[in-house]
Amino acid sequence: MTRSEFDDIRAAIADESNHAGDLLRIARTLLDDLEHARTREAALQTYYLRLLTAARATVAADMIGAEDPLMFLVHELEERGQMPADGEAVQRILADAKAAAALLACVEHSVQPPRSRGMRLRRCVGTGRRLPR
């Protein structure tokens, strides 16, 4: 979900003229989105773990001087259809890797300091909201 979609949902929830059916529809939509996101996250974690395992096995095989140390990584990339196809793809992939490394270095240097753990201010949304008495 985009940030504006979250803002729209917050505004709809805060709108006191909404009927219970409208809020129930929003809740169901959010639950469906959450379930989809969790399923996708689990699949991505599985892909990451498989790739990480293949990368570690490749480095370990190289360390002991195995005949074909790249076989683990090649197998995983072939299974996902991610093997470079030609020279142009190879050059693009290498350029992308260099750009990603440079971007990551910039991000790591501009990490924001952690926010204070003091009192947190509550944010009110919508004009129809009442303060507790």
Side-chain angles (χ1 to χ4, degrees):
M1 277 188 154
T2 64
R3 182 72 187 173
S4 64
E5 288 174 315
F6 280 114
D7 291 341
D8 291 345
I9 291 168
R10 282 188 185 96
I13 290 171
D15 185 2
E16 291 181 359
S17 66
N18 275 337
H19 301 305
D22 294 334
L23 295 176
L24 185 60
R25 182 182 46 79
I26 291 171
R28 286 183 178 142
T29 301
L30 290 174
L31 286 173
D32 289 344
D33 288 350
L34 180 60
E35 183 178 7
H36 176 68
R38 290 188 66 113
T39 301
R40 181 155 171 74
E41 179 187 14
L44 289 173
Q45 285 176 340
T46 300
Y47 295 153
Y48 172 78
L49 182 59
R50 288 180 64 162
L51 186 58
L52 183 62
T53 302
R56 288 177 50 112
T58 298
V59 170
D62 185 56
M63 290 173 81
I64 63 167
E67 189 174 314
D68 186 13
L70 291 177
M71 72 177 177
F72 303 104
L73 201 49
V74 168
H75 172 75
E76 189 62 30
L77 293 174
E78 283 177 344
E79 218 173 87
R80 303 275 166 244
Q82 295 295 318
M83 283 295 290
D86 55 23
E88 180 183 331
V90 169
Q91 293 306 317
R92 189 185 75 246
I93 291 167
L94 292 174
D96 288 349
K98 288 178 185 175
L103 181 61
L104 185 58
C106 287
V107 169
E108 288 175 350
H109 282 82
S110 67
V111 172
Q112 305 257 340
R115 295 184 346 185
S116 72
R117 298 260 183 207
M119 281 186 59
R120 184 172 173 220
L121 297 176
R122 293 184 61 150
R123 191 173 87 188
C124 293
V125 178
T127 58
R129 199 162 181 175
R130 292 180 190 42
L131 293 174
R133 294 179 186 203

